[in-house]
């Protein structure tokens, strides 16, 4: 029974942390709760409950909030525990933080960058056979 209670506390803490993170992002963007509700199509009371850790939003709602805050949906998914944290990279951080490009363009850039990294990692692990005379 203690394990169930501990798991419940962990979920509650994670939801509260997500709400706090969203509030911090909203305040940093100098966006009111009403403005965010208008941008996202998510009701003001529901956003308030998310920020206070009373509700756990779906991935779709998180995507709407991310778009309204002009942050990467991936960042919110990681905060919510939907995605695992990837290794940090200054290049990826810069792409994900850029507000001048769309979420779709960010996703494409990240995919291209990661494919180059995989290709280079494969190339460096392959050894060139040498001949011994």
């Amino acid at each position: 029974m203690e394990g169930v209670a501990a798991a419940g506390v962990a979920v509650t803490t994670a939801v509260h942390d997500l709400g706090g993170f969203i509030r911090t992002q909203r305040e940093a963007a100098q966006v009111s709760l009403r403005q965010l509700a208008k941008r996202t199509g998510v009701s003001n009371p529901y956003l308030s409950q998310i920020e206070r850790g009373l509700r756990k939003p779906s991935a779709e709602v998180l995507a709407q909030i991310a778009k309204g805050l002009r942050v990467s949906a991936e960042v919110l998914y990681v905060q919510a525990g939907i995605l695992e944290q990837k290794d940090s990279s200054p290049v990826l951080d810069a792409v994900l933080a850029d507000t001048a490009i769309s979420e779709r363009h960010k996703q494409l850039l990240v995919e291209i960058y990661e494919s180059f990294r995989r290709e280079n990692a494969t190339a460096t692990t392959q050894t060139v056979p040498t001949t011994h005379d």
Side-chain angles (χ1 to χ4, degrees):
M1 193 71 164
E2 288 178 19
V4 173
V9 169
V11 169
T12 302
T13 301
V15 171
H16 184 68
D17 290 347
L18 173 63
F21 181 81
I22 291 170
R23 177 182 289 121
T24 301
Q25 293 298 310
R26 180 178 57 76
E27 289 171 349
Q30 298 179 336
V31 175
S32 73
L33 203 55
R34 286 181 202 265
Q35 290 170 322
L36 184 59
K38 189 173 184 178
R39 287 182 184 182
T40 62
V42 177
S43 75
N44 190 357
Y46 188 59
L47 286 173
S48 176
Q49 290 174 348
I50 292 169
E51 285 191 358
R52 290 181 288 142
L54 302 176
R55 297 280 186 157
K56 182 179 180 186
S58 67
E60 293 81 17
V61 170
L62 285 174
Q64 290 172 267
I65 292 170
K67 186 175 179 182
L69 292 174
R70 294 186 175 98
V71 300
S72 167
E74 182 179 47
V75 171
L76 293 184
Y77 292 159
V78 168
Q79 285 291 321
I82 296 170
L83 288 179
E84 288 184 29
Q85 177 72 44
K86 292 184 179 178
D87 292 335
S88 183
S89 158
V91 173
L92 292 178
D93 293 345
V95 168
L96 295 174
D98 193 335
T99 59
I101 58 177
S102 72
E103 289 301 314
R104 178 70 182 131
H105 290 148
K106 289 178 189 183
Q107 181 182 5
L108 291 171
L109 286 171
V110 167
E111 289 173 8
I112 291 167
Y113 177 72
E114 288 177 346
S115 73
F116 287 152
R117 287 183 55 136
R118 281 191 304 274
E119 185 178 309
N120 286 338
T122 302
T124 59
T125 58
Q126 294 176 347
T127 57
V128 177
T130 57
T131 58
H132 297 284
D133 291 327

